[in-house]
Amino acid sequence: EIVLTQSPGTLSLSPGERATLSCRASQSVSRSYLAWYQQKPGQAPRLLIYSASSRVAGTPDRFSGSGSGTEFTLTISRLEPEDFAVYYCQKYGSSPYTFGQGTKLEIK
Amino acid sequence: EVQLVESGGGLVQPGGSLRLSCAASGFTLSNYDIHWVRQVAGKGLEWLSTITTADDSYYAGSVKGRFIISRENAKNSFYLHMNSLTAGDTAVYYCAAGAVGNFPPGFWGQGTLVTVSS
C-alpha cells in the first residue's frame, strides 16, 4: 500500500509569495496518477490538478503541478488571499486511493 | 448544473447501521467511478470506498467487511451501507464522482455528518 507524506504540515506565507507544497510517495505512483485538492473550512474538497500536472478547467494558472515516480510538487506562483486553505494530494487509478495528510497554507 | 446531493446522515448508536445516499444531477452517473471519502472533525481526508463503472468495488481496510458501496444507475444514485458502526466512524462523509478513464473525483457532494454515539 502506497503511503503519501505531505510536507510541510503548515506553511505560513504572505499574499504575493510563492508556495511550494510537497507530496512524497512510499512507492512509485503508477502513470503519475496523482491529484491535488484544495479544501476550505466547511467546504468539500475541490480538485485542482490531476495526472500530476494537468489543471482542471477553472483552476487558475498560478497553480501548477509537477513530478513523477515518488516525488510530486504543487506550486502556487503568487498567492492570492483565496488560496489560503488546506491542500491534499491523492493517489488514484487503483485501490487504495490514498490521501496525504494535508498541508495547511496559512497567512503569515 | 452538475450536483451531488447526499442524504442519510445523522445520529446512530454504536453497533448500529446507516445508509448514506448520493443523488447526481446534471450528469449521468453510469459514466463515472463513484467514491466515498470521510473526514473526522479537524482531521484529514480518508478514502473509504470506490465502485467503478464496471461494478468493481474496493474498500479501505478500516471499513472492509462493514461497509458496502452500491450504485443504482437507473436512479442516478449511489449508496454507502454502513454496519457495525463505532465512535471512530463519526465523521463528515462525502460522495464524489470521477469520470471513467482513470480520472480522480472531480465532483463532490456537500458532505453529510454521521455521529455514532449512545
Side-chain angles (χ1 to χ4, degrees), chain B residues 28-50:
Chain B
T28 303
L29 212 52
S30 59
N31 297 329
Y32 288 76
D33 294 337
I34 301 307
H35 311 265
W36 287 95
V37 173
R38 71 184 178 187
Q39 187 170 36
V40 173
K43 303 297 184 183
L45 302 172
E46 180 187 11
W47 170 77
L48 298 179
S49 183
T50 294

Side-chain angles (χ1 to χ4, degrees), chain A residues 33 35 37 39 43-45 47 50 88 90 92-93 95-97 99 101, chain B residues 35 37 39 43-47 50 58 94 102-106 108-109:
Chain A
Y33 283 156
Y37 299 84
Q39 188 180 34
Q43 296 184 15
L47 178 65
Y50 65 97
Y88 296 93
Q90 184 196 26
Y92 63 95
S95 177
Y97 296 70
F99 286 94
Q101 83 279 16
Chain B
H35 311 265
V37 173
Q39 187 170 36
K43 303 297 184 183
L45 302 172
E46 180 187 11
W47 170 77
T50 294
Y58 305 94
Y94 293 102
N102 280 321
F103 288 94
W108 290 70

Side-chain angles (χ1 to χ4, degrees), chain B residues 3-9 19-25 27 29 33-37 51 69-81 93-97 107-112:
Chain B
Q3 207 172 5
L4 288 172
V5 178
E6 294 143 351
S7 59
R19 187 186 82 159
L20 304 182
S21 301
C22 190
S25 60
F27 67 104
L29 212 52
D33 294 337
I34 301 307
H35 311 265
W36 287 95
V37 173
I51 185 166
I69 191 171
S70 63
R71 63 193 303 158
E72 193 169 1
N73 290 337
K75 291 188 176 181
N76 225 28
S77 296
F78 58 104
Y79 311 97
L80 186 67
H81 306 257
Y93 286 71
Y94 293 102
C95 61
F107 299 141
W108 290 70
Q110 80 284 2
T112 188

